[in-house]
Amino acid sequence: MAGCGGMLGDAMYQRLQKVGAVVKASDVNCIEDWLEYADVRDFNAIRKHILDFEPQLIINLAALTDLEYCEQEQENSWLTNAFGAENLGLIAAQLDVPYVYISTAGIFGGERDLYHDFHAPNPLSVYAQSKYYGEQYVRTSIKKHFVLRAGWMMGGGPAKDKKFINKIYKQIQAGATELCVVDDKLGTPTYTVDFANGLCGIVESDQYGLYNQVCGGAASRFEVAQEFVRLLGLADTIKVKVVPSDYFKSQYFAPRPASEKLVNLKLNQRGLNLMRDWKVCLQEYAEVFKADLLRK
């Protein structure tokens, strides 16, 4: 597995450990003792790294996901998200082993309220464009492929979550009594624990192809923040205030779709959908933050 130092990599590693899989986990930031250094941008180095292990499956979790960083560091974004996808895909094809690529709901342009697996993407940002290129490459060039589109990712706890939930939590930790959150951006929360479990089920099915894989239900950023604050038991002391996206235009300047809500149409039809409702998952995930608050 490449790019395992992040929130999804942590969930995937723990899931595979439980079933006794022999895993070679790598990242450019080796923040765990079970990680080895490998860079998906370096074809020759990553190829040797993989060939020495002789894998039966290659999972590519390596990605730059900070939209603003991708706008500012475009070359690195393309090299990691697109070129990296090519590099690992070429190696998977040479070894004739299945290849898993993680895509994103962010590849859609927001013209629709809800997107299933067959709707046409329209990526707006450099991040979305580079991820969509990776998705297209894998789908057209790698016979044994699994492309899984995730939504608003949550997981990894205070140490590894780089997304919305932990950003809200950090404000709470800093003593905020009012949280300004947009209600004009819609999406589908996606719990890393469920995503890892679902990924394993899809791979075991041998039913190659493209899949949306998100939690059940959908929400605005405001609704997610409001529910998270409630689950922490702080609804009486912290106000969640609605603001428009323009409120954060200097901080979050990368273009984002109004809606990137996904539905797991193909997973449902094939009986492979293992994703729970986002509120159930957030309730489970919030326990990690509640425990962290008690330690402070």
Side-chain angles (χ1 to χ4, degrees), residues 53-69:
F53 183 62
E54 299 181 344
Q56 295 176 308
L57 172 72
I58 295 176
I59 302 175
N60 182 8
L61 307 178
L64 293 173
T65 62
D66 185 308
L67 272 70
E68 278 62 47
Y69 176 88

Side-chain angles (χ1 to χ4, degrees), residues 1 7-16 59-62 100-105 117 127 131 135 146-156 188-204 209-216 262 264 267 272-278 281 284:
M1 291 194 298
M7 50 202 289
L8 180 55
D10 188 77
M12 278 304 312
Y13 184 78
Q14 301 304 328
R15 174 65 174 79
L16 292 172
I59 302 175
N60 182 8
L61 307 178
V100 180
Y101 177 75
I102 310 304
S103 190
T104 171
D117 314 60
Y127 164 70
K131 290 296 291 181
E135 174 182 307
F146 300 96
V147 174
L148 277 63
R149 291 174 179 155
W152 291 346
M153 202 70 86
M154 56 184 188
T188 320
T190 304
Y191 190 28
T192 56
V193 173
D194 282 40
F195 193 92
N197 191 40
L199 187 157
C200 290
I202 295 166
V203 168
E204 289 169 0
L210 165 73
Y211 296 94
N212 288 352
Q213 183 172 258
V214 295
C215 285
L262 301 187
N264 302 338
L267 289 180
L272 295 172
N273 189 6
L274 301 180
M275 304 294 288
R276 296 172 292 173
D277 185 87
W278 74 266
C281 291
E284 179 178 304

Side-chain angles (χ1 to χ4, degrees), residues 50-92:
I50 292 172
L51 293 183
D52 288 346
F53 183 62
E54 299 181 344
Q56 295 176 308
L57 172 72
I58 295 176
I59 302 175
N60 182 8
L61 307 178
L64 293 173
T65 62
D66 185 308
L67 272 70
E68 278 62 47
Y69 176 88
C70 289
E71 293 294 324
Q72 295 173 322
E73 301 292 336
Q74 296 191 14
E75 181 176 303
N76 192 22
S77 302
W78 283 101
L79 288 175
T80 302
N81 297 341
F83 187 60
E86 277 196 23
N87 284 343
L88 293 183
L90 285 170
I91 298 164

Side-chain angles (χ1 to χ4, degrees), residues 78 82-83 86 101 128-138:
W78 283 101
F83 187 60
E86 277 196 23
Y101 177 75
Q129 291 162 11
S130 60
K131 290 296 291 181
Y132 183 47
Y133 175 86
E135 174 182 307
Q136 287 180 299
Y137 171 81
V138 174

Side-chain angles (χ1 to χ4, degrees), residues 1-295:
M1 291 194 298
C4 291
M7 50 202 289
L8 180 55
D10 188 77
M12 278 304 312
Y13 184 78
Q14 301 304 328
R15 174 65 174 79
L16 292 172
Q17 286 290 101
K18 285 181 181 179
V19 297
V22 180
V23 181
K24 190 178 185 72
S26 66
D27 201 281
V28 292
N29 296 309
C30 297
I31 58 175
E32 302 283 358
D33 58 11
W34 43 265
L35 284 169
E36 299 179 31
Y37 179 86
D39 189 344
V40 298
R41 298 168 298 184
D42 187 335
F43 177 75
N44 291 325
I46 195 76
R47 183 175 183 274
K48 184 180 186 306
H49 180 82
I50 292 172
L51 293 183
D52 288 346
F53 183 62
E54 299 181 344
Q56 295 176 308
L57 172 72
I58 295 176
I59 302 175
N60 182 8
L61 307 178
L64 293 173
T65 62
D66 185 308
L67 272 70
E68 278 62 47
Y69 176 88
C70 289
E71 293 294 324
Q72 295 173 322
E73 301 292 336
Q74 296 191 14
E75 181 176 303
N76 192 22
S77 302
W78 283 101
L79 288 175
T80 302
N81 297 341
F83 187 60
E86 277 196 23
N87 284 343
L88 293 183
L90 285 170
I91 298 164
Q94 291 169 5
L95 294 175
D96 193 30
V97 298
Y99 178 44
V100 180
Y101 177 75
I102 310 304
S103 190
T104 171
I107 62 174
F108 292 103
E111 302 87 357
R112 295 177 177 272
D113 177 61
L114 186 67
Y115 294 88
H116 60 56
D117 314 60
F118 303 104
H119 282 133
N122 177 29
L124 304 179
S125 65
V126 171
Y127 164 70
Q129 291 162 11
S130 60
K131 290 296 291 181
Y132 183 47
Y133 175 86
E135 174 182 307
Q136 287 180 299
Y137 171 81
V138 174
R139 293 181 65 192
T140 57
S141 304
I142 311 301
K143 182 179 179 182
K144 297 179 180 179
H145 72 263
F146 300 96
V147 174
L148 277 63
R149 291 174 179 155
W152 291 346
M153 202 70 86
M154 56 184 188
K160 291 190 176 180
D161 191 331
K162 296 180 180 179
K163 295 298 183 178
F164 181 71
I165 292 297
N166 204 21
K167 288 178 180 179
I168 292 296
Y169 181 66
K170 286 180 178 178
Q171 292 181 60
I172 293 171
Q173 273 190 311
T177 57
E178 181 177 89
L179 304 170
C180 295
V181 184
V182 304
D183 70 345
D184 56 5
K185 291 290 184 286
L186 308 175
T188 320
T190 304
Y191 190 28
T192 56
V193 173
D194 282 40
F195 193 92
N197 191 40
L199 187 157
C200 290
I202 295 166
V203 168
E204 289 169 0
S205 78
D206 289 329
Q207 297 182 49
Y208 301 113
L210 165 73
Y211 296 94
N212 288 352
Q213 183 172 258
V214 295
C215 285
S220 67
R221 291 291 192 191
F222 172 77
E223 290 170 316
V224 175
Q226 196 171 46
E227 181 68 3
F228 182 53
V229 169
R230 185 188 72 80
L231 290 168
L232 292 179
L234 300 173
D236 292 334
T237 56
I238 296 179
K239 177 184 178 182
V240 185
K241 177 184 175 182
V242 173
V243 296
S245 290
D246 281 352
Y247 184 86
F248 296 107
K249 63 183 179 182
S250 61
Q251 183 178 2
Y252 298 114
F253 51 83
R256 289 168 168 81
S259 176
E260 48 190 295
K261 290 157 54 178
L262 301 187
V263 60
N264 302 338
L265 179 64
K266 287 175 63 178
L267 289 180
N268 289 333
Q269 287 300 109
R270 289 185 171 163
L272 295 172
N273 189 6
L274 301 180
M275 304 294 288
R276 296 172 292 173
D277 185 87
W278 74 266
K279 288 186 177 181
V280 173
C281 291
L282 184 57
Q283 182 175 9
E284 179 178 304
Y285 187 37
E287 293 299 315
V288 176
F289 293 92
K290 288 171 70 175
D292 188 68
L293 280 175
L294 290 173
R295 287 193 292 267

